[in-house]
Amino acid sequence: MALMQIKPKGCSTGAGSLQRHAAAAPSRHPAPVLHSSSRPPLAVTPAVATPERQQLHRTSTEPKLDRVFMAAASSQGAKHSMEDCSCLADLHPAHGVLSSSVSRRGVSVSQQHIAVAAVFDGHAGRQTALAAAEHLPHLMHQGLTGRQRSSTACEDGPSVVVQEPLQPCCALPAAMRSFDTWWAGRRGRDRSGSTAVVGLVHGQELTVGNLGDSVALLARGGGCRRLTVGHRADNAVEMLRVLDAGGELEYDCCGTLRLYRPSDVGRRNGCMFTRSLGDFNFKQPRPLLLCEPHVVQQQLSPLDSFVLLASDGVTDALADDDVMAVAMRALERARNHTSDAQQLAQAAADEVTAAALRGESGDNITAVAVLLDWS
């Protein structure tokens, strides 16, 4: 493996199928402790307290995830153009993508469907982010149902080659790989790329996948948990992989560690990400950047109330705990004026975006709020 030579800081020299997700395979994580019902348990004698009766009682009293409410907010911020995109979609087993939005409009999804939310942070242009927001929900539907082209945004859109329904944890990376392969042949002279963070709520399970440094945060029991891994050049694991692949790393004049192709002697086109959609100049002829997401599955419980997806325009300006605190305060204030869950989700997304602006974020800003409604 080649030794990395990093110049000093300063200026450089130049998861079950959609059809059967209610019976999905158990999560790898231990089953969470659920809140018990306020109603006292039925009195039974040991002679009749069979496992079947105990399971029936436990199932009938545990809260269920009833609906999911999603909303998005964004701002161009200090940049001269807007390159972020978001996507909110409702996937139906038989009818494909029922609703999809790349705007601020929220989407509410019943538990019988799958809710998809995503943030795409584009760079060197917006085309890759826009195309990903349009096509990825359809590709995930194809993977989850096991039916190629079961749902498409257009006749010549991308498709997932699949023989059987995939679990969400497999359908999500398959969708990203299929999009990237298709986009490589369709982009023309476009040289843009995009990070991605995608969340799927299916049954009572959350699956999150990310490329690059867009993040997913889960509000659990009063705390905040980050579900994503940052794929940047300063990530030690990613750094070694890039060097093994023949890439070179160097600090730019702003002190940011960037990845460069060996042929880029003048250091004109560096990339701070190590995984992304698009960015084919860094994937050909050798894959310095990958399109293989980090994926995590999380069994949800009533302790989980809220999921936030955000571009780095949010998390570079605010710490994770601060971001979640802003969202929770916005929800509490909004509840004083409305009980509409869709409006509550929108209030949280709007306030997180506004807080990042107040925090002097120098980037585009996008936040997607996912409100979990338990009954």
Side-chain angles (χ1 to χ4, degrees):
M1 177 182 69
L3 294 178
M4 175 182 61
Q5 295 183 352
I6 301 178
K7 295 190 177 181
K9 293 186 180 182
C11 293
S12 63
T13 55
S17 72
L18 186 59
Q19 297 161 307
R20 61 171 190 262
H21 70 270
S27 170
R28 293 171 294 179
H29 299 280
V33 178
L34 303 182
H35 291 309
S36 60
S37 171
S38 60
R39 185 181 64 184
L42 296 175
V44 293
T45 65
V48 295
T50 64
E52 291 79 6
R53 289 178 62 89
Q54 291 176 345
Q55 179 63 35
L56 178 62
H57 173 69
R58 183 163 58 249
T59 303
S60 63
T61 58
E62 289 176 353
K64 298 293 185 183
L65 182 57
D66 184 42
R67 295 182 70 81
V68 175
F69 297 89
M70 304 184 290
S74 61
S75 171
Q76 184 173 318
K79 296 191 74 173
H80 60 82
S81 63
M82 183 61 173
E83 296 176 317
D84 283 5
C85 293
S86 63
C87 175
L88 312 174
D90 170 3
L91 274 57
H92 184 275
H95 305 298
V97 180
L98 294 185
S99 59
S100 183
S101 172
V102 294
S103 67
R104 290 168 55 94
R105 182 173 61 87
V107 177
S108 60
V109 184
S110 66
Q111 193 189 16
Q112 286 70 38
H113 298 191
I114 283 186
V116 177
V119 170
F120 304 97
D121 183 353
H123 45 268
R126 198 185 188 193
Q127 291 307 307
T128 297
L130 282 170
E134 179 181 13
H135 293 289
L136 272 179
H138 298 277
L139 288 168
M140 284 186 283
H141 186 275
Q142 294 177 34
L144 291 164
T145 60
R147 301 198 307 272
Q148 190 173 355
R149 305 195 70 79
S150 62
S151 179
T152 59
C154 57
E155 289 186 2
D156 59 347
S159 63
V160 175
V161 178
V162 60
Q163 304 299 324
E164 60 183 4
L166 301 176
Q167 294 283 346
C169 61
C170 297
L172 199 158
M176 288 185 172
R177 290 191 298 266
S178 297
F179 170 81
D180 218 42
T181 299
W182 172 82
W183 186 237
R186 291 293 301 269
R187 63 188 175 93
R189 301 176 66 87
D190 182 74
R191 302 175 66 178
S192 68
S194 178
T195 71
V197 58
V198 182
L200 290 80
V201 179
H202 39 101
Q204 291 189 189
E205 189 170 79
L206 170 68
T207 300
V208 171
N210 80 286
L211 299 166
D213 58 359
S214 294
V215 305
L217 305 176
L218 173 65
R220 165 168 287 183
C224 175
R225 180 183 177 190
R226 181 180 282 217
L227 302 177
T228 47
V229 170
H231 299 132
R232 281 186 170 181
D234 56 5
N235 177 316
V237 174
E238 293 293 287
M239 182 186 296
L240 292 175
R241 182 191 61 76
V242 165
L243 293 172
D244 281 342
E248 297 179 353
L249 298 172
E250 186 176 320
Y251 287 102
D252 64 15
C253 59
C254 298
T256 301
L257 188 61
R258 293 184 179 273
L259 160 66
Y260 294 92
R261 293 171 296 153
S263 59
D264 187 4
V265 178
R267 297 300 191 245
R268 297 179 180 276
N269 297 298
C271 184
M272 64 186 295
F273 317 107
T274 57
R275 303 191 186 210
S276 69
L277 300 170
D279 287 316
F280 296 110
N281 287 341
F282 291 92
K283 295 177 179 177
Q284 300 165 350
R286 300 187 65 182
L288 303 182
L289 267 63
L290 297 182
C291 182
E292 192 64 36
H294 168 80
V295 178
V296 62
Q297 283 187 297
Q298 180 66 62
Q299 191 70 28
L300 297 171
S301 83
L303 294 173
D304 304 315
S305 59
F306 183 78
V307 180
L308 183 78
L309 309 181
S311 64
D312 68 330
V314 173
T315 53
D316 282 351
L318 301 169
D320 290 0
D321 288 341
D322 293 336
V323 172
M324 192 59 72
V326 166
M328 292 297 103
R329 287 196 297 268
L331 287 172
E332 288 305 313
R333 286 196 299 269
R335 287 190 177 103
N336 294 328
H337 306 287
T338 182
S339 60
D340 186 316
Q342 191 63 60
Q343 293 184 30
L344 296 177
Q346 190 65 63
D350 288 342
E351 186 55 31
V352 167
T353 300
L357 282 171
R358 292 193 297 270
E360 298 183 351
S361 173
D363 203 350
N364 296 152
I365 299 167
T366 298
V368 169
V370 181
L371 191 61
L372 306 176
D373 183 22
W374 297 85
S375 63

